[in-house]
mmCIF file of all heavy atoms in Angstrom:
data_model
loop_
_atom_site.group_PDB
_atom_site.id
_atom_site.type_symbol
_atom_site.label_atom_id
_atom_site.label_comp_id
_atom_site.label_asym_id
_atom_site.label_seq_id
_atom_site.Cartn_x
_atom_site.Cartn_y
_atom_site.Cartn_z
ATOM 1 N N ALA A 22 -9.346 8.489 19.301
ATOM 2 C CA ALA A 22 -10.017 7.337 18.758
ATOM 3 C C ALA A 22 -11.441 7.675 18.347
ATOM 4 O O ALA A 22 -11.896 7.078 17.394
ATOM 5 C CB ALA A 22 -9.989 6.148 19.718
ATOM 6 N N SER A 23 -12.107 8.524 19.018
ATOM 7 C CA SER A 23 -13.467 8.897 18.688
ATOM 8 C C SER A 23 -13.610 9.674 17.329
ATOM 9 O O SER A 23 -14.621 9.586 16.724
ATOM 10 C CB SER A 23 -14.138 9.634 19.822
ATOM 11 O OG SER A 23 -13.520 10.832 20.078
ATOM 12 N N LYS A 24 -12.639 10.405 16.984
ATOM 13 C CA LYS A 24 -12.707 11.292 15.846
ATOM 14 C C LYS A 24 -12.167 10.594 14.557
ATOM 15 O O LYS A 24 -12.495 11.057 13.445
ATOM 16 C CB LYS A 24 -12.013 12.595 16.035
ATOM 17 C CG LYS A 24 -12.717 13.442 17.063
ATOM 18 C CD LYS A 24 -12.137 14.823 17.073
ATOM 19 C CE LYS A 24 -12.847 15.626 18.173
ATOM 20 N NZ LYS A 24 -12.327 16.974 18.233
ATOM 21 N N LEU A 25 -11.446 9.528 14.699
ATOM 22 C CA LEU A 25 -10.823 8.891 13.500
ATOM 23 C C LEU A 25 -11.884 8.357 12.509
ATOM 24 O O LEU A 25 -11.702 8.523 11.312
ATOM 25 C CB LEU A 25 -9.928 7.768 13.915
ATOM 26 C CG LEU A 25 -8.514 8.189 14.319
ATOM 27 C CD1 LEU A 25 -7.691 7.001 14.725
ATOM 28 C CD2 LEU A 25 -7.854 9.052 13.271
ATOM 29 N N PRO A 26 -12.937 7.755 12.955
ATOM 30 C CA PRO A 26 -14.011 7.303 11.973
ATOM 31 C C PRO A 26 -14.516 8.432 11.147
ATOM 32 O O PRO A 26 -14.747 8.357 9.901
ATOM 33 C CB PRO A 26 -15.102 6.543 12.786
ATOM 34 C CG PRO A 26 -14.342 6.197 14.004
ATOM 35 C CD PRO A 26 -13.321 7.244 14.278
ATOM 36 N N LYS A 27 -14.777 9.607 11.804
ATOM 37 C CA LYS A 27 -15.375 10.846 11.094
ATOM 38 C C LYS A 27 -14.274 11.296 10.134
ATOM 39 O O LYS A 27 -14.604 11.721 8.916
ATOM 40 C CB LYS A 27 -15.635 11.870 12.102
ATOM 41 C CG LYS A 27 -17.135 12.203 12.374
ATOM 42 C CD LYS A 27 -17.237 13.468 13.128
ATOM 43 C CE LYS A 27 -18.113 13.127 14.350
ATOM 44 N NZ LYS A 27 -18.229 14.347 15.154
ATOM 45 N N LEU A 28 -13.072 11.260 10.557
ATOM 46 C CA LEU A 28 -11.950 11.733 9.692
ATOM 47 C C LEU A 28 -11.820 10.942 8.504
ATOM 48 O O LEU A 28 -11.718 11.285 7.294
ATOM 49 C CB LEU A 28 -10.642 11.818 10.520
ATOM 50 C CG LEU A 28 -9.426 12.266 9.764
ATOM 51 C CD1 LEU A 28 -9.524 13.756 9.333
ATOM 52 C CD2 LEU A 28 -8.284 12.060 10.636
ATOM 53 N N ALA A 29 -11.867 9.569 8.688
ATOM 54 C CA ALA A 29 -11.755 8.602 7.530
ATOM 55 C C ALA A 29 -12.974 8.751 6.582
ATOM 56 O O ALA A 29 -12.702 8.687 5.331
ATOM 57 C CB ALA A 29 -11.742 7.206 8.107
ATOM 58 N N ARG A 30 -14.118 8.926 7.159
ATOM 59 C CA ARG A 30 -15.335 9.145 6.293
ATOM 60 C C ARG A 30 -15.156 10.385 5.430
ATOM 61 O O ARG A 30 -15.519 10.418 4.221
ATOM 62 C CB ARG A 30 -16.637 9.198 7.143
ATOM 63 C CG ARG A 30 -17.578 8.065 6.871
ATOM 64 C CD ARG A 30 -18.792 8.177 7.724
ATOM 65 N NE ARG A 30 -18.604 7.349 8.920
ATOM 66 C CZ ARG A 30 -18.649 7.882 10.211
ATOM 67 N NH1 ARG A 30 -18.848 9.045 10.454
ATOM 68 N NH2 ARG A 30 -18.400 7.053 11.130
ATOM 69 N N SER A 31 -14.727 11.385 6.081
ATOM 70 C CA SER A 31 -14.536 12.710 5.385
ATOM 71 C C SER A 31 -13.476 12.590 4.283
ATOM 72 O O SER A 31 -13.648 13.150 3.177
ATOM 73 C CB SER A 31 -14.167 13.814 6.366
ATOM 74 O OG SER A 31 -13.893 15.026 5.791
ATOM 75 N N LEU A 32 -12.352 11.932 4.615
ATOM 76 C CA LEU A 32 -11.302 11.760 3.618
ATOM 77 C C LEU A 32 -11.803 10.956 2.412
ATOM 78 O O LEU A 32 -11.507 11.226 1.282
ATOM 79 C CB LEU A 32 -10.144 11.080 4.339
ATOM 80 C CG LEU A 32 -8.859 10.884 3.508
ATOM 81 C CD1 LEU A 32 -8.349 12.265 2.939
ATOM 82 C CD2 LEU A 32 -7.863 10.217 4.274
ATOM 83 N N GLY A 33 -12.551 9.850 2.618
ATOM 84 C CA GLY A 33 -13.123 8.969 1.686
ATOM 85 C C GLY A 33 -14.030 9.821 0.769
ATOM 86 O O GLY A 33 -14.041 9.672 -0.469
ATOM 87 N N SER A 34 -14.945 10.593 1.402
ATOM 88 C CA SER A 34 -15.931 11.371 0.609
ATOM 89 C C SER A 34 -15.115 12.448 -0.251
ATOM 90 O O SER A 34 -15.535 12.650 -1.461
ATOM 91 C CB SER A 34 -16.807 12.158 1.593
ATOM 92 O OG SER A 34 -17.678 12.975 0.913
ATOM 93 N N SER A 35 -14.093 12.991 0.288
ATOM 94 C CA SER A 35 -13.310 14.017 -0.525
ATOM 95 C C SER A 35 -12.617 13.342 -1.626
ATOM 96 O O SER A 35 -12.666 13.905 -2.735
ATOM 97 C CB SER A 35 -12.216 14.665 0.399
ATOM 98 O OG SER A 35 -12.858 15.360 1.483
ATOM 99 N N ALA A 36 -12.035 12.155 -1.419
ATOM 100 C CA ALA A 36 -11.468 11.445 -2.590
ATOM 101 C C ALA A 36 -12.480 11.116 -3.632
ATOM 102 O O ALA A 36 -12.160 11.137 -4.829
ATOM 103 C CB ALA A 36 -10.700 10.239 -1.971
ATOM 104 N N ARG A 37 -13.625 10.644 -3.192
ATOM 105 C CA ARG A 37 -14.724 10.266 -4.121
ATOM 106 C C ARG A 37 -15.091 11.442 -5.059
ATOM 107 O O ARG A 37 -15.232 11.384 -6.234
ATOM 108 C CB ARG A 37 -15.864 9.691 -3.368
ATOM 109 C CG ARG A 37 -16.856 8.910 -4.230
ATOM 110 C CD ARG A 37 -17.931 8.330 -3.417
ATOM 111 N NE ARG A 37 -17.461 7.635 -2.184
ATOM 112 C CZ ARG A 37 -17.746 8.045 -0.905
ATOM 113 N NH1 ARG A 37 -18.514 9.043 -0.764
ATOM 114 N NH2 ARG A 37 -17.216 7.386 0.059
ATOM 115 N N GLU A 38 -15.298 12.609 -4.370
ATOM 116 C CA GLU A 38 -15.690 13.866 -5.106
ATOM 117 C C GLU A 38 -14.490 14.289 -6.130
ATOM 118 O O GLU A 38 -14.842 14.723 -7.176
ATOM 119 C CB GLU A 38 -16.000 14.955 -4.062
ATOM 120 C CG GLU A 38 -17.290 14.798 -3.425
ATOM 121 C CD GLU A 38 -18.463 14.821 -4.396
ATOM 122 O OE1 GLU A 38 -18.524 15.645 -5.368
ATOM 123 O OE2 GLU A 38 -19.352 13.990 -4.132
ATOM 124 N N PHE A 39 -13.275 14.101 -5.579
ATOM 125 C CA PHE A 39 -12.165 14.427 -6.503
ATOM 126 C C PHE A 39 -12.140 13.572 -7.786
ATOM 127 O O PHE A 39 -12.034 14.130 -8.919
ATOM 128 C CB PHE A 39 -10.866 14.311 -5.646
ATOM 129 C CG PHE A 39 -9.650 14.670 -6.493
ATOM 130 C CD1 PHE A 39 -9.348 15.947 -6.802
ATOM 131 C CD2 PHE A 39 -8.874 13.713 -6.952
ATOM 132 C CE1 PHE A 39 -8.192 16.324 -7.570
ATOM 133 C CE2 PHE A 39 -7.652 13.973 -7.744
ATOM 134 C CZ PHE A 39 -7.429 15.267 -8.097
#
Side-chain angles (χ1 to χ4, degrees):
S23 63
K24 291 189 181 183
L25 278 182
K27 250 191 240 183
L28 180 66
R30 247 181 262 118
S31 175
L32 185 61
S34 175
S35 298
R37 196 174 316 115
E38 287 297 318
F39 178 75

